[in-house]
Amino acid sequence: MASTPNMDSDRPLSVKELTDLGLQYDFLPQLPLNRWYRAAEVVYREATHYLRDGNTPQAFMMFQRYCDLVMYKLRTHPDINLPESRPQYKTLSKRIPAIIELMESMRVEIDEYYSRWEARMRAQRRSQPPAKSTIRLVDPALSWNHASPGSILDARSNKDLAIEMANKERLRRRNATKMAPSRSSRIISEDELQRRNMEAVRNQLDRSYRTSDTNDRLQSTNYSYPSIKQSASLSYESAPRRPSPPPTRPMPPRPPKQLPEPSRPPSVSPPPRPRKELDTEACVTTRSQSPVRPPKEALEPVPEPKRRYTFKPEKYLENGDPIRSIFLPESLRRRFLAIAEPNTKRGLEMCGLLCGANINNALFITHLVIPDQDCTENTCDTRNEADIWEFCDKEELIQIGWIHTHPTQTCFLSSRDMHTQASYQAMLSESIAIVCAPRYEPSWGVFRLTNPPGLPEMLKCRKTDPFHPHDVPGDQLYVNALQPAGHVIEADLNVDVCDLRGKT
């Protein structure tokens, strides 16, 4: 993967720059075609997640990569014409027209952002002498929409906020799954209507505010006016209509207007109407005790833009490319070991898939998927990948890595493990491999291949034995990915377990 070009720290990326970045990836035909199908799905999911977060530039770049991978690169794969390969390729290709149409509208937005930035820069140059630009390597995911800027946060320092975001996204997805009548085209249509949906939310907030304001004013009316109505019914001209007092106690004569009214027992008649100026004061006093009607302009408030966040890269690869933070549920390893215990007792390896979502430029592992697999003492290979594909599509998940046991060995990545990890990391730079060795210390570890030299070395290697040497020393092929040295952060997150064994 080529490095991102240098640029001013606050400058948005242009359409051309985003397009060029989208095309900067390595396509390796020697990898199995199903791995590239999975890679295309990961790219598509990431694009939809970024678009849902409002990060239009990054979504545009990922959609560009998806189109190039499906329309051009996959067609050159040696296995593309096999009968079993065509159905999945057809599924990926069906998305292309809708994506291209969506990208055209995104292009207009990105051009507008860039033009507004240029206008702001020209105004600044006219008003003050040009200063030396601050140049840095920019992650395209941080190329902000200047119409709705966001806050760039450190993931490790804002763990609680990250957990809150993950929980909200989980709830949103579950609600969306319940409401959606069809899963076949729902995601792309959501992306096309994202801005309309945001406007609908704002309108709903406006209506809720107006309804609440109207209710408050109605309550204020019912609270303030009874005393006024009671006084209004008592006028001097209407005195004959008053109820007659008992015969034994005739009503006293009306006192002069300038003299204060004598007090009367409640059983005789209601109190007299106060003077007009006192009526006004009473009205003001009564109203001052009730909710005050807001000014007219407050009836239709303009809600503040939704607060947007993005997490900056946690670490960088050896080649300088940024990699995002991964939030790993603390309970995941314990739950996986409980499922793998029967195999562990028999000395057989077992694996699971780490799936999740990209939320605000950070990766959250939300699901542990146990696939059908063939297990031996030194290997575990997945089967029925169509079930995995279907599940991830249904839940809108991307595969972030994998976990497996070493029931009879220490905690390390074998040659076979590194080859498996390379197939993940070629699709997603942040991908991780978790190894659990219950009988040894350390009993577990989280790893990633170095890039370079680890990932290129694995991709060019053609050996298949579980334990074979490489041209690069073993201690340079992979590194610890767990904090503080790496980009993986343990957090108190919920994890769902899906066991696909025996489903087909």
Side-chain angles (χ1 to χ4, degrees):
M1 184 74 67
S3 297
T4 306
N6 286 339
M7 58 196 70
D8 293 334
S9 61
D10 66 340
R11 180 170 72 85
L13 300 182
S14 66
V15 169
K16 183 180 184 306
E17 288 170 330
L18 292 168
T19 300
D20 292 342
L21 286 171
L23 300 178
Q24 291 179 8
Y25 64 97
D26 298 321
F27 178 76
L28 304 170
Q30 61 266 31
L31 286 179
L33 183 58
N34 65 335
R35 297 291 186 185
W36 284 112
Y37 283 164
R38 189 190 301 170
E41 190 68 19
V42 168
V43 172
Y44 175 74
R45 292 294 171 207
E46 288 213 271
T48 60
H49 295 170
Y50 274 117
L51 189 57
R52 185 175 292 119
D53 289 340
N55 197 330
T56 306
Q58 181 75 355
F60 182 90
M61 188 197 77
M62 301 302 288
F63 278 133
Q64 179 68 51
R65 182 169 297 173
Y66 179 88
C67 291
D68 181 75
L69 178 59
V70 174
M71 296 173 64
Y72 301 106
K73 298 298 195 301
L74 290 183
R75 291 180 178 179
T76 66
H77 196 281
D79 297 335
I80 192 64
N81 291 318
L82 296 177
E84 60 270 22
S85 301
R86 300 305 296 177
Q88 190 57 55
Y89 181 76
K90 185 177 180 180
T91 299
L92 296 175
S93 300
K94 284 182 178 180
R95 294 172 175 161
I96 297 297
I99 290 177
I100 292 177
E101 182 179 354
L102 175 61
M103 289 178 67
E104 286 303 315
S105 63
M106 297 169 67
R107 182 189 300 269
V108 175
E109 291 186 38
I110 295 170
D111 286 338
E112 180 184 352
Y113 307 154
Y114 194 82
S115 299
R116 292 171 62 180
W117 177 85
E118 285 185 322
R120 180 164 59 87
M121 290 297 100
R122 287 194 297 268
Q124 289 182 1
R125 293 188 190 103
R126 288 194 298 266
S127 61
Q128 60 187 15
K132 184 177 180 180
S133 298
T134 302
I135 304 298
R136 68 184 177 107
L137 199 65
V138 173
D139 181 353
L142 306 184
S143 175
W144 279 104
N145 171 350
H146 284 261
S148 180
S151 300
I152 299 177
L153 305 176
D154 177 75
R156 196 184 309 276
S157 303
N158 294 274
K159 185 188 294 188
D160 291 341
L161 177 61
I163 294 174
E164 180 183 350
M165 290 179 179
N167 291 335
K168 287 182 178 179
E169 176 64 11
R170 178 190 293 267
L171 180 61
R172 184 202 65 79
R173 293 190 180 198
R174 287 181 175 175
N175 292 338
T177 301
K178 294 176 182 178
M179 296 171 60
S182 173
R183 304 287 305 189
S184 59
S185 60
R186 186 178 67 82
I187 294 175
I188 193 67
S189 61
E190 278 186 357
D191 297 338
E192 292 170 345
L193 295 175
Q194 182 198 21
R195 296 169 199 83
R196 299 181 187 177
N197 291 342
M198 183 61 71
E199 187 64 27
V201 172
R202 288 174 178 162
N203 293 336
Q204 184 177 2
L205 289 174
D206 288 349
R207 288 194 299 269
S208 298
Y209 186 95
R210 289 195 292 269
T211 301
S212 176
D213 176 71
T214 302
N215 291 337
D216 287 345
R217 287 188 279 116
L218 289 175
Q219 292 174 2
S220 174
T221 300
N222 294 334
Y223 178 82
S224 305
Y225 287 1
S227 61
I228 299 175
K229 284 184 176 181
Q230 191 176 27
S231 298
S233 64
L234 301 173
S235 63
Y236 300 126
E237 292 75 14
S238 60
R241 295 195 183 114
R242 295 175 185 169
S244 300
T248 57
R249 299 188 61 180
M251 184 174 63
R254 176 180 171 186
K257 186 174 183 181
Q258 65 274 15
L259 296 178
E261 291 274 334
S263 59
R264 295 172 180 170
S267 59
V268 176
S269 65
R273 177 179 180 181
R275 293 195 303 269
K276 186 174 183 180
E277 59 272 16
L278 294 179
D279 180 77
T280 303
E281 294 174 359
C283 178
V284 173
T285 302
T286 305
R287 291 191 180 209
S288 65
Q289 298 173 357
S290 63
V292 180
R293 178 177 178 178
K296 184 176 181 181
E297 58 272 16
L299 295 180
E300 295 189 9
V302 178
E304 295 184 2
K306 181 181 178 181
R307 188 66 174 169
R308 291 178 56 204
Y309 302 97
T310 192
F311 293 105
K312 66 182 181 180
E314 181 68 21
K315 297 292 179 180
Y316 292 83
L317 296 175
E318 289 72 17
N319 64 4
D321 286 348
I323 52 176
R324 294 161 292 182
S325 301
I326 293 179
F327 286 89
L328 172 67
E330 296 172 347
S331 61
L332 184 144
R333 181 168 51 94
R334 172 181 53 80
R335 299 187 66 178
F336 172 70
L337 286 174
I339 296 173
E341 185 176 7
N343 274 24
T344 302
K345 290 180 177 179
R346 293 158 51 196
L348 301 177
E349 288 193 3
M350 188 170 183
C351 70
L353 306 179
L354 310 177
C355 300
N358 170 18
I359 305 173
N360 299 98
N361 204 43
L363 299 171
F364 292 80
I365 296 174
T366 59
H367 289 71
L368 169 63
V369 180
I370 309 298
D372 260 338
Q373 52 195 282
D374 296 318
C375 303
T376 70
E377 294 181 356
N378 299 316
T379 64
C380 49
D381 298 312
T382 61
R383 295 186 286 112
N384 300 326
E385 291 207 1
D387 292 342
I388 304 173
W389 186 286
E390 180 182 358
F391 176 77
C392 291
D393 179 66
K394 177 182 177 182
E395 299 295 329
E396 301 181 29
L397 300 173
I398 59 177
Q399 295 184 32
I400 301 175
W402 62 303
I403 183 173
H404 72 291
T405 55
H406 278 185
T408 60
Q409 303 176 61
T410 58
C411 182
F412 73 106
L413 288 183
S414 68
S415 301
R416 181 73 175 270
D417 295 340
M418 287 189 283
H419 279 259
T420 301
Q421 175 62 16
S423 67
Y424 281 93
Q425 221 166 301
M427 301 181 294
L428 190 69
S429 298
E430 294 85 357
S431 294
I432 57 173
I434 301 178
V435 180
C436 298
R439 299 181 182 179
Y440 296 90
E441 283 294 336
S443 61
W444 71 293
V446 185
F447 307 106
R448 70 165 175 86
L449 297 177
T450 56
N451 186 17
L455 181 60
E457 177 69 16
M458 293 302 109
L459 293 177
K460 73 178 184 180
C461 180
R462 296 294 176 269
K463 300 175 184 177
T464 59
D465 188 77
F467 305 97
H468 59 264
H470 296 95
D471 297 336
V472 178
D475 59 354
Q476 300 180 22
L477 293 174
Y478 64 91
V479 294
N480 176 27
L482 195 62
Q483 63 174 342
H487 65 294
V488 178
I489 304 170
E490 280 198 287
D492 185 16
L493 288 168
N494 293 326
V495 59
D496 294 332
V497 178
C498 177
D499 194 338
L500 299 179
R501 292 175 296 175
K503 299 296 182 182
T504 55

